[in-house]
Amino acid sequence: MAGNLEAVVVVIRKICLLLVFIFFFGSSISAQDNSEILYKKRVLEQIEINFLNSYYIQEGENASVTGGVGNEKLTDFTPSFVVAIPLNDDDILTIDLTTSNYTSASSSNGNPFDVSGSSSGYDDDDSDDDDDEDYQEDENSYGDSRNVVGSPWVASSGASKQDVWSSLSLGYESSSDDRNTVKSRNISISKEYDYNSVGIGGGITKLYNQKNTSFSVSGNIYFDRWDPIYPTELKAYSDENGNLDTGFFYNVDIKDSNGNVSLDWKPINNFSLIKDDSRNSYSLSVSASQIIGRNSQASFFLDIVKQEGWLANPLQRVYFSDVSNYFIGNESSISNYTSKSNRDVFHLSDDIERLPSKRLKIPFGFRFNYFINEKITVRNYYRYYSDDWGIHSNTINLEIPYKISDSFTLYPSYRHYDQTQSDYFAPYDMHLSTSEFYTSDYDLSSFNAKQYGIGLSYKDIFAERQIFNFGLKSIDLKFSNYQRSNGFNANIFSIGFVFTQN
């Protein structure tokens, strides 16, 4: 193990020396280039508008909101609008507005008991309003018992079933007179139902050797905050201080694994709401690229990402194998709980996902592009990822653009991905209650995946086709199919347009 670590250190040291050599050797050459500047061309001649639409649909059976078992069906429509505005010869302002409109069967089951569109006697919007009057009304109107049912396989009609994530970012980029230095700054804000984020960052790119060599460094900081949404039964337990005869639980039969009515259920450590609702992320990125010859280019990149704060999702349930199980719904379906045929019983959660308050991620890799001829180019990509939660992964991507004509290019692609399991992952009902950290989110499990894609690009460098006084510069169409080894699969459709001002 020590030998492997020493080998890695040696490789990193050599890479750093190479980067230092490129930086200082390139500096002397670029200094010579500065004295030969006769004129400068505008970095961006005209306003450029990018409009991208994507539609995403997924299927799976390991929903993390319901503890690693259940319906993962999700659809997402994401329009993105990006405008690049030249402020002068050297500077560009970029405005990026993106929204993600999704409907999720998994997220809807934050409150799985809302299957009929009613609140089943409990409002899980996490507001601070006093609900005693609502509970009293429920107590007066319900009979001897309430027929409350739910299932991890049935999408609820609760408020968390659908959401809109919105993001606005502003970027400012300035280039030196010789175009060998590019500085960038950016700021962003985003918001969704239970989460918001503010980000700020910047970077610098240096070009050397008649722009055959480049070196870039950038950094970003994100200040995020949860507006926590909890599983209904846990939130109700906290609100009622563990009293199972009032509020949501009033006249609701809780049953053990044998179907017998019981009041013994309680979450681990008498569940309480989270106190730290912040999440901060800090990232540093370094990359270098080199044109090797007339037909090839290679690049290397390294990222270091540090996260701290509440890094788990408070809506995701966890179940323990060493504690008794309790359910709400039809007792005859308990033995068939993990089957899709279960439509009317739900397992009460033992706790929410809990993960360390710090995480260090280090991905690095390289790209290699090779121009075979005027028709065919090969683009290769490899990335290795490692973090201190025990995940290690490999990504290999291959894309082969084929130029059909001067205007049309076809680009098939293939992507392979594999990862090891996080130290804190276990499937549904397999964790131990003595553990400090635990999750049943299959994004942190061990799996491999493959993605096939096909795209078609149309380009008109003169933007002769006009739409509302804007020239159509390009159109991109792409379809991808994504498949995981655990049965999860997704399809992605996207279309993008680039317009320029006339």
Side-chain angles (χ1 to χ4, degrees):
M1 184 70 175
N4 292 336
L5 181 59
E6 291 177 0
V8 172
V9 171
V10 170
V11 171
I12 294 176
R13 184 180 299 145
K14 289 181 178 179
I15 291 172
C16 291
L17 289 174
L18 174 62
L19 295 178
V20 170
F21 173 80
I22 291 174
F23 186 87
F24 285 102
F25 180 73
S27 296
S28 62
I29 295 178
S30 63
Q32 297 173 7
D33 293 343
N34 288 343
S35 62
E36 299 175 1
I37 297 175
L38 300 178
Y39 72 95
K40 64 177 180 179
K41 184 179 179 180
R42 289 175 66 92
V43 177
L44 183 65
E45 294 291 340
Q46 301 167 321
I47 294 176
E48 190 168 278
I49 300 174
N50 290 261
F51 184 60
L52 174 68
N53 275 291
S54 66
Y55 178 73
Y56 171 90
I57 184 169
Q58 71 176 40
E59 300 277 356
E61 300 179 2
N62 301 115
S64 53
V65 171
T66 44
V69 60
N71 190 351
E72 287 186 274
K73 185 173 182 179
L74 180 147
T75 61
D76 180 38
F77 174 68
T78 305
S80 180
F81 188 71
V82 182
V83 183
I85 305 171
L87 302 178
N88 50 48
D89 288 350
D90 306 321
D91 303 332
I92 301 173
L93 174 67
T94 302
I95 304 171
D96 184 340
L97 176 62
T98 302
T99 63
S100 175
N101 309 270
Y102 67 84
T103 300
S104 169
S106 174
S107 294
S108 76
N109 281 326
N111 179 6
F113 311 105
D114 197 5
V115 294
S116 64
S118 67
S119 64
S120 296
Y122 184 71
D123 179 6
D124 69 339
D125 65 359
D126 293 330
S127 67
D128 294 326
D129 296 338
D130 187 348
D131 294 319
D132 289 345
E133 294 182 2
D134 293 333
Y135 290 151
Q136 186 62 47
E137 181 181 346
D138 293 334
E139 293 174 8
N140 292 335
S141 59
Y142 292 125
D144 292 337
S145 64
R146 288 162 52 201
N147 185 27
V148 177
V149 297
S151 167
W153 302 101
V154 179
S156 166
S157 55
S160 55
K161 180 179 181 179
Q162 56 190 18
D163 191 15
V164 176
W165 173 86
S166 300
S167 173
L168 173 65
S169 63
L170 301 176
Y172 183 83
E173 186 179 283
S174 58
S175 299
S176 61
D177 288 339
D178 60 7
R179 302 297 185 251
N180 287 328
T181 302
V182 180
K183 298 179 181 179
S184 62
R185 307 90 170 166
N186 60 81
I187 185 170
S188 64
I189 56 173
S190 62
K191 171 68 177 175
E192 59 184 315
Y193 187 64
D194 61 346
Y195 199 78
N196 61 78
S197 175
V198 176
I200 187 170
I204 183 170
T205 298
K206 298 286 291 185
L207 303 176
Y208 309 109
N209 305 329
Q210 286 81 45
K211 299 179 172 57
N212 289 324
T213 305
S214 71
F215 178 73
S216 299
V217 178
S218 63
N220 289 278
I221 303 175
Y222 294 94
F223 303 99
D224 305 343
R225 188 166 298 279
W226 289 97
D227 183 11
I229 307 299
Y230 301 91
T232 288
E233 67 273 27
L234 296 180
K235 180 63 164 56
Y237 183 92
S238 175
D239 288 346
E240 300 307 318
N241 297 314
N243 187 342
L244 301 183
D245 286 322
T246 187
F248 166 77
F249 301 104
Y250 180 75
N251 275 352
V252 174
D253 288 340
I254 298 176
K255 302 164 187 177
D256 62 19
S257 296
N258 297 317
N260 301 315
V261 175
S262 172
L263 292 178
D264 292 336
W265 170 74
K266 64 178 180 179
I268 295 297
N269 300 322
N270 290 319
F271 177 79
S272 60
L273 308 184
I274 66 176
K275 296 179 180 179
D276 181 8
D277 60 357
S278 65
R279 171 190 287 183
N280 298 334
S281 301
Y282 313 89
S283 67
L284 175 67
S285 300
V286 179
S287 65
S289 68
Q290 177 66 51
I291 296 177
I292 301 174
R294 294 181 59 186
N295 297 342
S296 57
Q297 180 188 42
S299 62
F300 165 84
F301 64 88
L302 168 68
D303 297 324
I304 301 175
V305 181
K306 178 71 173 179
Q307 292 181 300
E308 57 186 24
W310 187 265
L311 304 184
N313 187 333
L315 189 60
Q316 296 183 173
R317 293 174 173 85
V318 171
Y319 299 95
F320 300 107
S321 61
D322 58 342
V323 301
S324 299
N325 297 332
Y326 296 91
F327 303 83
I328 288 179
N330 182 6
E331 62 271 15
S332 64
S333 297
I334 291 176
S335 61
N336 206 32
Y337 184 79
T338 59
S339 169
K340 288 182 179 180
S341 61
N342 164 30
R343 316 298 287 179
D344 52 10
V345 71
F346 193 85
H347 189 173
L348 295 179
S349 180
D350 295 322
D351 199 3
I352 59 173
E353 174 185 76
R354 298 191 184 269
L355 293 168
S357 60
K358 294 183 179 180
R359 189 180 188 183
L360 180 64
K361 307 177 183 180
I362 304 179
F364 66 88
F366 63 86
R367 295 179 176 86
F368 181 77
N369 299 332
Y370 187 78
F371 178 79
I372 296 178
N373 53 43
E374 293 183 355
K375 294 286 187 179
I376 302 176
T377 303
V378 177
R379 298 173 180 169
N380 298 294
Y381 168 92
Y382 172 78
R383 187 188 80 154
Y384 176 79
Y385 168 93
S386 177
D387 67 26
D388 55 2
W389 286 7
I391 295 180
H392 307 278
S393 72
N394 298 280
T395 304
I396 300 173
N397 193 82
L398 173 64
E399 184 177 271
I400 306 178
Y402 175 76
K403 194 169 184 180
I404 301 173
S405 66
D406 290 340
S407 298
F408 290 95
T409 301
L410 188 71
Y411 48 102
S413 62
Y414 173 76
R415 178 179 181 269
H416 167 83
Y417 177 84
D418 62 73
Q419 77 171 36
T420 60
Q421 177 177 297
S422 168
D423 297 335
Y424 314 114
F425 172 82
Y428 164 74
D429 209 23
M430 293 295 289
H431 281 287
L432 295 178
S433 60
T434 53
S435 301
E436 182 180 7
F437 303 115
Y438 31 80
T439 178
S440 293
D441 185 346
Y442 272 72
D443 287 344
L444 301 180
S445 70
S446 174
F447 67 88
N448 59 72
K450 53 188 177 181
Q451 179 172 315
Y452 302 92
I454 185 72
L456 180 65
S457 174
Y458 165 80
K459 294 187 182 300
D460 180 359
I461 60 174
F462 299 108
E464 294 179 346
R465 298 181 183 276
Q466 305 294 307
I467 298 179
F468 299 115
N469 295 322
F470 282 86
L472 179 59
K473 187 175 181 180
S474 67
I475 303 176
D476 280 283
L477 297 168
K478 189 168 186 179
F479 168 77
S480 296
N481 174 256
Y482 175 82
Q483 303 172 18
R484 281 188 188 177
S485 54
N486 57 21
F488 179 95
N489 64 84
N491 292 307
I492 309 103
F493 306 84
S494 64
I495 181 170
F497 302 87
V498 178
F499 300 93
T500 58
Q501 185 185 42
N502 290 328

